[in-house]
Amino acid sequence: MNKINSIDEYHEEYAKSVSDPERFWAEKAETFSWHKKWNEVLEWDFHGPSVKWFKGAKLNITENCLDRHLENNGDKVAILWEPNNPNESSIEITYTELHSRVCAFSNVLKRNGAKKGDRICLYMPMTPELAIATLACARIGAVHSVVFAGFSARSLEDRINDATCNIVVTADGGFRGEKIIGLKNIVDKALENCPSIEKCIVLKRTNEEVEMKSGRDVWLHEELDRVDDVCPAEIMDSEDMLFVLYTSGSTGKPKGVVHTCGGYMVYAEYSFRNVFQYRDEDIYWCTADIGWITGHTYIVYGPLLAGATTVMFEGVPSYPDAGRFWDICDKHKINIFYTAPTAIRALQACGIDFVNKHELSSLRVLGSVGEPINEEAWHWYNDEIGKGRCPIVDTWWQTETGGIMISPLAGLTSLKPSYATLPLPGIQPCLVDADGNEILGNDVQGNLCIKFPWPSMIRTTYGDHKRCKDVYFSAYEGKYFTGDGCRRDEDGFYRITGRVDDVINVSGHRFGTAEIEAAIDEHENVVETAVVGYPHEIKGQGIYAYAICHDPKVDMTSFIQEINKTVTEIIGPIAKPDKIQIVHGLPKTRSGKIMRRILRKIAEGDVSNLGDTSTLLDPSVVEEIKTGAGLV
Ligand code: WT7
């Protein structure tokens, strides 16, 4: 009942979802197992904001991911894990085994003091234990906060403290290509400033020598020896918190986006099934890391809810060489492959030989996520990987939306390169102009908003509801604002044009420019910085930093190294600037506001038409910056 099989059916479903959303979603929700059904399907108010789906219903999402499949599909592979090193064996975990391992892990958490409502931080490599730990939190009703294992100790510390986590789960180290990342050492450093943490549970993965602080740190394998694998699922309210996931915005520190149990569950499965047109025997691989929302919804929850085989890859696309993705596609006979444009562009740049060694004949559906996919990359993906016979689903969504919002349904929706095409049933996008008026009709452009609730939408930002209201629900009266610009073409197809706020998207990773500025500012020679994004061939956007220094006569090579070190320590290596220009002043208005529009133009290399600079306090700074003096 929850699968759309033709484009006509899509249009019918879409119409129903708009005319009677409650009935529509109640029907979809019927197929799950609930301890108690809802009293009301939806209660909402975008001013609060307050959104409640399946009000009064009781469930546990892991019973729907695991227990529900045991009777008929217990022996089916749930997780197929491919290690970083291709010479190490891959691992198949059946639904029965996964259920037992999640229950055992749940008992480890409980043994270490975890209870319903606690926040548990997961800072782990892409091993099966990360998926298991995620589900174990959900099983006992604890809120997971997965932090991508590429973030620095400082970032980890901030996230742990913001959600006052009492347990952190990590590993001795993580393999990433040829590198080993010393995760436990990073955790140790973070925990120097995390008073709420009582226990640190450590997976042995790399056999690094690590310090174990007595009373606080325990080995996972030793703990697992002390528990059994029976753990009844905690019964949760539909609107109880399922997880918090930190993401960057245009101001301040990253915020914890909160998702709840019932609505997220229904939408994760529904969107997974329909966008990818999932079939029962498919082998499905999403290359994201579970540290991002893509991994939460489309490695763990969506596929497991659908009873699918989900592939988890520990490594990187370039190791041992640029053919690794295609190697894995052949090895595991992948049918559905979901990755990011930045990976496609990087692999394209490595040459076609890495592709041509492989058959890629099992592929049926290709997906793209995280940033706009440029036409050139789209065609390469389509021609060389899909061999012209696999539909590409360009899926637009956000951490805040919980699931895919605008996307083709594979094989059903007609495709246009660089277009996310049409909204999923239940999603009501609209474009608004600068005054907040809805722009009707087609062949138009504006800011992308959503005007009606959907089940997996953000409920709040952890510990700061006002921030949620201010960021998402205040820009345009009665609407959720996405932060993206968007075009709707003559056929009513949507094309996302990129962020319209101070958020940049670097290799699919999201940063606020203010957050990178604050990091660079910590360098002792830096007085002030302004960061903007600029078009980057591989990364989509690169990071361009303009810096005013106390002493501008620096050795540029060591200055860059120091800035990189500072940013790596404060945020993580993924936020290192691609270009730094030392300047004597920044273009500011008389009220002291930096005119980023001008800096963006210069960073793009478009200095001919900088627009009106007459409102600047000192227009001469633009002349200096324009020359490119001090740029490295
Ligand atoms: C931002 C959200 C949710 C997936 C991972 C990123 C950009 C995402 C697309 C796409 C154009 C896209 C948007 C969005 N984005 N997918 N298919 N086409 N832009 O999640 O870190 O929360 O970032 O990524 O700008 O607002 P995120």
Side-chain angles (χ1 to χ4, degrees):
M1 178 175 59
N2 285 352
K3 175 101 174 273
I4 299 168
N5 295 302
S6 69
I7 192 69
D8 292 341
E9 230 175 274
Y10 159 77
H11 288 296
E12 281 162 30
E13 287 284 286
Y14 189 82
K16 278 195 228 162
S17 79
V18 175
S19 64
D20 194 349
E22 298 199 22
R23 184 161 161 200
F24 177 85
W25 287 114
E27 255 177 49
K28 306 305 160 208
E30 281 294 339
T31 57
F32 293 86
S33 82
W34 303 85
H35 284 272
K36 176 177 170 285
K37 291 275 173 69
W38 45 93
N39 311 318
E40 219 179 312
V41 178
L42 171 65
E43 184 187 280
W44 70 289
D45 153 34
F46 272 2
H47 295 279
S50 162
V51 173
K52 294 187 173 121
W53 280 96
F54 310 112
K55 208 179 157 196
K58 305 283 177 196
L59 77 151
N60 185 291
I61 195 169
T62 71
E63 291 183 321
N64 285 277
C65 290
L66 303 170
D67 306 57
R68 173 167 78 122
H69 304 311
L70 296 186
E71 198 179 328
N72 297 323
N73 278 315
D75 294 335
K76 181 171 175 178
V77 176
I79 295 179
L80 202 176
W81 179 72
E82 172 70 21
N84 177 64
N85 181 345
N87 300 321
E88 194 183 327
S89 312
S90 47
I91 290 176
E92 295 185 340
I93 303 172
T94 65
Y95 273 92
T96 302
E97 285 161 359
L98 185 61
H99 176 264
S100 136
R101 290 181 65 178
V102 168
C103 288
F105 204 115
S106 302
N107 288 335
V108 167
L109 292 175
K110 284 190 192 165
R111 235 183 84 78
N112 283 279
K115 36 182 211 319
K116 181 174 179 175
D118 287 352
R119 277 80 51 213
I120 297 180
C121 178
L122 311 180
Y123 186 73
M124 300 177 74
M126 279 286 285
T127 52
E129 287 79 4
L130 171 52
I132 292 167
T134 304
L135 293 164
C137 290
R139 185 129 188 125
I140 66 168
V143 176
H144 53 78
S145 169
V146 186
V147 176
F148 173 62
F151 279 118
S152 67
R154 269 276 284 273
S155 298
L156 176 62
E157 171 193 319
D158 286 346
R159 285 158 173 77
I160 288 174
N161 289 336
D162 187 77
T164 54
C165 298
N166 56 346
I167 296 178
V168 56
V169 185
T170 190
D172 48 359
F175 294 116
R176 263 184 89 74
E178 289 182 352
K179 283 189 249 161
I180 291 180
I181 318 287
L183 299 177
K184 176 64 165 61
N185 290 337
I186 299 173
V187 170
D188 286 343
K189 204 158 162 225
L191 294 192
E192 286 170 15
N193 302 306
C194 297
S196 58
I197 291 287
E198 285 156 16
K199 283 288 163 77
C200 174
I201 301 172
V202 189
L203 163 76
K204 207 181 228 336
R205 172 68 187 125
T206 56
N207 287 310
E208 299 302 278
E209 189 71 51
V210 296
E211 237 174 84
M212 296 293 280
K213 190 171 164 186
S214 125
R216 186 193 71 182
D217 302 348
V218 294
W219 285 109
L220 176 62
H221 60 274
E222 290 176 4
E223 290 299 294
L224 283 168
D225 282 343
R226 302 188 176 114
V227 295
D228 64 22
D229 64 353
V230 180
C231 178
E234 190 73 37
I235 297 175
M236 307 295 284
D237 189 89
S238 179
E239 283 300 333
D240 278 341
M241 242 182 242
L242 174 63
F243 65 85
V244 41
L245 183 58
Y246 285 82
T247 193
S248 300
S250 31
T251 56
K253 286 193 174 177
K255 48 193 176 292
V257 171
V258 170
H259 286 287
T260 57
C261 297
Y264 176 82
M265 170 177 80
V266 172
Y267 198 78
E269 203 234 21
Y270 180 76
S271 54
F272 171 75
R273 242 181 228 292
N274 285 295
V275 168
F276 300 106
Q277 289 289 297
Y278 168 72
R279 298 178 192 164
D280 278 347
E281 297 316 315
D282 281 339
I283 308 290
Y284 162 88
W285 180 24
C286 166
T287 69
D289 190 288
I290 294 178
W292 313 112
I293 190 70
T294 308
H296 282 58
T297 310
Y298 299 111
I299 295 177
V300 181
Y301 288 113
L304 296 178
L305 285 163
T309 297
T310 179
V311 174
M312 249 182 103
F313 175 43
E314 181 182 34
V316 293
S318 55
Y319 178 79
D321 65 38
R324 186 68 191 279
F325 272 7
W326 322 128
D327 202 39
I328 298 174
C329 283
D330 279 359
K331 179 175 173 190
H332 297 303
K333 309 236 174 326
I334 304 294
N335 305 111
I336 307 175
F337 177 73
Y338 190 28
T339 195
T342 190
I344 298 167
R345 288 188 297 261
L347 295 176
Q348 178 180 8
C350 294
I352 199 66
D353 288 354
F354 289 107
V355 179
N356 287 344
K357 286 185 204 131
H358 302 91
E359 300 236 342
L360 303 178
S361 54
S362 56
L363 293 174
R364 192 183 78 243
V365 173
L366 301 177
S368 170
V369 60
E371 41 174 328
I373 179 166
N374 49 307
E375 290 204 29
E376 197 197 336
W378 194 98
H379 284 293
W380 188 82
Y381 198 27
N382 184 61
D383 301 348
E384 305 298 345
I385 307 305
K387 316 291 181 196
R389 50 170 188 77
C390 304
I392 297 177
V393 290
D394 177 359
T395 63
W396 174 83
W397 58 298
Q398 312 177 295
T399 305
E400 295 86 342
T401 69
I404 297 168
M405 301 288 278
I406 304 182
S407 167
L409 307 185
L412 310 187
T413 314
S414 51
L415 305 178
K416 265 188 206 180
S418 81
Y419 277 75
T421 74
L422 298 172
L424 264 64
I427 307 306
Q428 299 188 32
C430 64
L431 303 182
V432 291
D433 65 21
D435 304 321
N437 300 313
E438 187 172 343
I439 306 168
L440 300 170
N442 287 341
D443 198 8
V444 290
Q445 187 148 353
N447 287 344
L448 179 61
C449 292
I450 315 286
K451 56 183 178 184
F452 194 84
W454 63 100
S456 63
M457 70 184 291
I458 179 175
R459 298 300 196 269
T460 188
T461 43
Y462 195 92
D464 191 353
H465 193 62
K466 182 166 180 298
R467 192 165 177 200
C468 173
K469 183 185 168 92
D470 291 348
V471 173
Y472 305 105
F473 296 92
S474 301
Y476 302 107
E477 169 76 20
K479 297 183 178 71
Y480 167 84
F481 176 45
T482 65
D484 281 310
C486 181
R487 179 179 137 72
R488 185 167 54 222
D489 75 359
E490 50 290 346
D491 301 321
F493 277 31
Y494 289 84
R495 176 193 184 147
I496 311 302
T497 51
R499 300 289 303 202
V500 295
D501 53 8
D502 289 320
V503 167
I504 54 178
N505 192 323
V506 185
S507 301
H509 304 317
R510 180 169 155 184
F511 298 104
T513 51
E515 167 191 17
I516 303 175
E517 287 162 6
I520 298 176
D521 285 348
E522 293 209 11
H523 186 279
E524 56 179 14
N525 190 18
V526 173
V527 182
E528 194 181 2
T529 330
V531 165
V532 296
Y534 72 98
H536 187 288
E537 260 191 42
I538 306 285
K539 300 179 177 186
Q541 279 189 298
I543 301 174
Y544 195 123
Y546 299 88
I548 305 174
C549 291
H550 290 290
D551 175 11
K553 283 191 213 62
V554 292
D555 170 57
M556 276 317 243
T557 321
S558 49
F559 183 65
I560 295 169
Q561 274 171 5
E562 286 161 28
I563 294 291
N564 285 344
K565 186 165 170 274
T566 308
V567 172
T568 300
E569 269 169 22
I570 293 166
I571 305 174
I574 49 181
K576 288 188 292 202
D578 297 277
K579 289 187 182 177
I580 302 176
Q581 183 173 1
I582 297 185
V583 296
H584 290 96
L586 290 166
K588 288 190 179 170
T589 61
R590 287 188 188 90
S591 60
K593 199 171 167 278
I594 296 174
M595 285 186 82
R596 284 162 197 286
R597 178 179 56 78
I598 294 174
L599 294 176
R600 263 185 237 122
K601 283 252 176 197
I602 297 174
E604 282 165 22
D606 178 12
V607 294
S608 57
N609 178 21
L610 294 179
D612 183 14
T613 55
S614 63
T615 55
L616 290 177
L617 189 60
D618 177 8
S620 75
V621 297
V622 176
E623 296 310 310
E624 182 216 333
I625 298 176
K626 235 163 72 167
T627 65
L631 172 68
V632 277

